[in-house]
Amino acid sequence: MLCLLVALIAGVIAIILMTAGIVSLSFISKGLPVRFILIGGAVLYVLLFFVTTIVFHRIVTLELMVIDIWAILELSAVAVLFGTGRFGAGRAAVLVALVGIATVVGLICYVLYYRLDGMSSYWDGMVPLIIDLFVMAVFSGVLASS
């Protein structure tokens, strides 16, 4: 229980810090306005909610929202950093593609999770975390080399 509480607190703090950075940069960014990403993310969540429940008969859990919020935050960060000239279009495209791939993999694992048991479900839950770690490492590398 303590691990879950620590993870929740760390996640909320991370969201607050990323949001503060995105908001402050959005005032000087000349890229895609973040509001379009937020609207798209909200529409995507509603769509995924219905697709996962109706088509895949998956119980909706908090993970669906976490996947969506993570993608929204990452895409917003790419948009404002690109819009401020922190990196070029090629690097931005790579980051957007990696976020997209990680999000799709996360959604596939989300749908499959309750259909698996034992260690299979454990690894199914770990795969998105490992891929997100990779995406964040690449993102950090891009920022460090800019």
Side-chain angles (χ1 to χ4, degrees):
M1 184 61 134
L2 180 62
C3 290
L4 289 175
L5 182 62
V6 170
L8 175 67
I9 292 169
V12 170
I13 290 170
I15 289 170
I16 290 168
L17 291 174
M18 281 190 72
T19 301
I22 290 165
V23 167
S24 68
L25 287 176
S26 68
F27 291 115
I28 59 172
S29 176
K30 295 178 180 19
L32 177 69
V34 173
R35 70 179 170 272
F36 294 134
I37 297 170
L38 296 174
I39 292 167
V43 169
L44 179 64
Y45 179 79
V46 171
L47 178 68
L48 291 173
F49 178 90
F50 287 113
V51 168
T52 57
T53 56
I54 295 169
V55 176
F56 295 110
H57 308 288
R58 168 66 155 85
I59 301 167
V60 176
T61 60
L62 189 59
E63 286 82 9
L64 183 62
M65 188 177 290
V66 169
I67 292 167
D68 191 57
I69 289 172
W70 181 83
I72 291 168
L73 283 171
E74 295 308 311
L75 293 174
S76 296
V78 171
V80 296
L81 289 168
F82 172 71
T84 59
R86 183 70 190 259
F87 45 74
R91 290 181 178 184
V94 167
L95 292 172
V96 167
L98 288 175
V99 169
I101 291 166
T103 302
V104 169
V105 169
L107 290 168
I108 291 168
C109 291
Y110 173 78
V111 169
L112 292 175
Y113 182 78
Y114 284 118
R115 297 177 184 178
L116 302 171
D117 54 347
M119 287 304 288
S120 296
S121 65
Y122 171 79
W123 284 110
D124 181 75
M126 290 301 293
V127 166
L129 298 176
I130 294 166
I131 291 174
D132 291 351
L133 173 68
F134 172 76
V135 172
M136 296 310 302
V138 171
F139 203 138
S140 296
V142 166
L143 288 175
S145 67
S146 310

